Amino acid sequence: MRFFTAHKQARQTPKPVGETLAIYMGVGEFATVRERLLAEGLSPDTPFAIVENGTRPDQRVVLGALDDLVVLAQARNVQSPALLIVGGVAALGAEHHWFGAAPS
């Protein structure tokens, strides 16, 4: 797993190499992150999980495919703090859910 910031000033472009990416400080940058990851070769079908308010009583998880990242985040009104997890492990979110509300 590799961690990246999506903060505008960092200007990091994660290069996917078949591993899980964890992207923080990115709620306002989901469109840019999505475009960069697709440009780097990730499939639009790559699973993601957004963990909002992780480890807090109001934790919420949004699951989907990279192609729908922006639409789902907006539809579910995702707010900071949130961690974006991209890669195969994100597809296991519903199956291995154990804390907070069930993923949507």
Side-chain angles (χ1 to χ4, degrees):
M1 177 178 277
R2 294 189 297 154
F3 288 83
F4 294 91
T5 178
H7 195 269
K8 286 182 179 181
Q9 294 170 328
R11 304 263 183 222
Q12 289 179 297
T13 302
K15 303 229 184 264
V17 289
E19 63 186 328
T20 301
L21 303 175
I23 303 166
Y24 55 98
M25 294 174 52
V27 170
E29 298 296 316
F30 283 155
T32 302
V33 168
R34 178 189 167 279
E35 292 307 314
R36 286 182 179 174
L37 292 174
L38 292 173
E40 288 294 334
L42 277 184
S43 167
D45 295 332
T46 303
F48 76 79
I50 301 170
V51 181
E52 181 185 76
N53 291 315
T55 74
R56 296 180 180 175
D58 58 342
Q59 174 177 303
R60 183 169 64 133
V61 178
V62 176
L63 302 175
L66 188 57
D67 202 37
D68 298 323
L69 172 62
V70 176
V71 171
L72 289 173
Q74 289 174 345
R76 300 218 174 47
N77 194 31
V78 172
Q79 301 292 312
S80 294
L83 180 68
L84 171 63
I85 300 167
V86 180
V89 72
L92 302 174
E95 180 181 344
H96 294 284
H97 163 71
W98 61 273
F99 181 80
S104 61

